[in-house]
Amino acid sequence: MLENLKQKFPNALTNKKDTDDISNYVWFEDFRSILGIPRSEITAEEIRLLELLFVPSINPNNLNAHPGSSWKNFLSEPNAPLPLTSWENVRFLHFKLTHADFSNSDFEGAFLAFVPSDAAIIWENETAGVLIEPDKDELLSNKELIAITSTLESDFYVKTRMFTGRFHPVDQDLRHHWTQEKKCFEMAQVHLPDIKVTDLADIIPYSLINDPSFKNANWFINEILGKTKQDTELIKTVKTYIECNSNATFASKQLYIHRNSLQYRIDKFSEKTGLDIRNFRHALTAYLILLLND
């Protein structure tokens, strides 16, 4: 059966010796043959399907648990291939330590003990790294991360700062998202040094101040609004609500809608974007993004 797959994947290999880097391929075996399919030519759904039919020679689940250098290479090297993984969407939790007079493996073990889902930590250096968290049912909230940082600080006597990114598909654009989030985290450490856990909502106003041209505007708009930017009625409602100083009664009259309808749209916007515009900081971020989107 593996031989028949060559018709669908003509660039597949039948011998690991035919490539200098077997990690660029997804390998499957049956009782008499082996086949390596280029990772750039196969989807995560196809991998899962083939896993039901054949024995994976390189198991994606093992790579999730022990990512080794594949994720680090992908994030740090522009031409590095995507890691072989069964994850479809991931987010990055960037972290920075004030010092490292302890074992990284000890800190990593303590950190991962708080993570409810399958995750991996990649160290950039002795004091900085990123936790890669797949999109699962149980996700770490910023409130939970603040509690985790407090516990880690008391256990290791080290100050910890974190930045939570947003979920993205595991594709070649993932490196760009990681780079942009890393810049945001660096900015947060400068402008918001006393906040243990920050995110995009915290840093966007400072990004605008530091870069008046806002050359990364489209990235921020897509990160915050996503598909919501196409909902003109919802965008108008949120913008009007903020311009009415978050006065629901006044905003309802301006929009000629019932107050309950206004509340429903505000809740919908919060659910879609992660911004609670009843909070001043989130309202400021939302308004800046809406102005840029115009």
Side-chain angles (χ1 to χ4, degrees):
M1 283 184 67
L2 277 176
E3 295 178 357
N4 295 333
L5 285 176
K6 284 283 289 183
Q7 298 178 9
K8 178 174 176 57
F9 302 101
N11 295 320
L13 304 179
T14 56
N15 192 322
K16 291 183 179 181
K17 294 181 180 180
D18 293 338
T19 177
D20 294 330
D21 189 354
I22 62 173
S23 64
N24 289 333
Y25 295 78
V26 186
W27 297 90
F28 296 97
E29 300 178 8
D30 61 15
F31 62 94
R32 62 181 180 181
S33 60
I34 187 171
L35 190 71
I37 302 172
R39 284 190 292 171
S40 59
E41 299 178 9
I42 189 170
T43 66
E45 183 178 355
E46 289 171 331
I47 291 175
R48 288 195 296 272
L49 177 61
L50 291 177
E51 283 179 338
L52 298 176
L53 302 174
F54 307 101
V55 178
S57 181
I58 299 178
N59 193 328
N61 292 326
N62 288 338
L63 286 176
N64 288 342
H66 307 285
S69 61
S70 59
W71 275 104
K72 187 171 185 177
N73 289 341
F74 171 70
L75 294 176
S76 60
E77 299 179 11
N79 297 320
L82 272 169
L84 178 61
T85 177
S86 59
W87 297 339
E88 294 185 349
N89 300 284
V90 299
R91 72 170 176 176
F92 299 116
L93 301 180
H94 305 258
F95 63 89
K96 175 74 174 179
L97 313 177
T98 52
H99 61 272
D101 54 358
F102 46 78
S103 168
N104 279 3
S105 60
D106 289 342
F107 183 88
E108 181 175 333
F111 193 0
L112 290 175
F114 293 106
V115 181
S117 61
D118 187 15
I121 288 180
I122 305 300
W123 290 90
E124 299 169 36
N125 53 56
E126 290 185 351
T127 59
V130 59
L131 183 141
I132 306 174
E133 185 182 19
D135 192 0
K136 297 290 182 68
D137 294 333
E138 297 180 349
L139 299 173
L140 294 171
S141 66
N142 279 18
K143 187 176 182 180
E144 290 172 321
L145 285 170
I146 292 173
I148 290 173
T149 59
S150 298
T151 302
L152 293 173
E153 287 177 358
S154 63
D155 288 346
F156 292 91
Y157 302 100
V158 60
K159 286 187 177 181
T160 307
R161 294 295 177 265
M162 295 185 185
F163 181 90
T164 57
R166 302 214 164 191
F167 281 99
H168 299 101
V170 179
D171 56 26
Q172 289 295 338
D173 291 332
L174 196 58
R175 184 188 296 106
H176 174 66
H177 296 306
W178 171 77
T179 302
Q180 291 296 103
E181 290 174 359
K182 188 176 179 181
K183 292 178 181 177
C184 291
F185 185 30
E186 292 170 353
M187 198 176 301
Q189 293 175 70
V190 173
H191 296 283
L192 303 167
D194 297 327
I195 300 182
K196 293 184 177 181
V197 180
T198 52
D199 55 26
L200 281 177
D202 299 310
I203 206 61
I204 283 179
Y206 298 98
S207 298
L208 184 57
I209 292 172
N210 287 351
D211 180 17
S213 65
F214 220 36
K215 60 184 178 182
N216 295 314
N218 287 334
W219 182 80
F220 282 101
I221 290 170
N222 290 330
E223 288 294 286
I224 296 294
L225 297 181
K227 295 181 179 180
T228 306
K229 64 182 180 181
Q230 301 171 1
D231 192 335
T232 55
E233 183 181 68
L234 183 60
I235 294 299
K236 180 181 178 181
T237 299
V238 171
K239 190 176 180 182
T240 301
Y241 173 76
I242 297 174
E243 290 174 341
C244 290
N245 297 317
S246 300
N247 186 313
T249 301
F250 188 33
S252 298
K253 292 179 179 179
Q254 292 280 0
L255 294 165
Y256 300 100
I257 61 175
H258 193 275
R259 184 178 173 127
N260 290 344
S261 298
L262 174 70
Q263 189 61 54
Y264 169 78
R265 293 180 188 178
I266 291 174
D267 291 341
K268 181 181 178 181
F269 182 81
S270 296
E271 179 183 349
K272 296 289 186 181
T273 64
L275 296 179
D276 181 2
I277 59 174
R278 288 171 287 249
N279 175 288
F280 171 77
R281 190 178 75 252
H282 283 200
L284 174 60
T285 294
Y287 195 67
L288 289 174
I289 287 295
L290 294 180
L291 290 178
L292 288 169
N293 188 52
D294 288 342

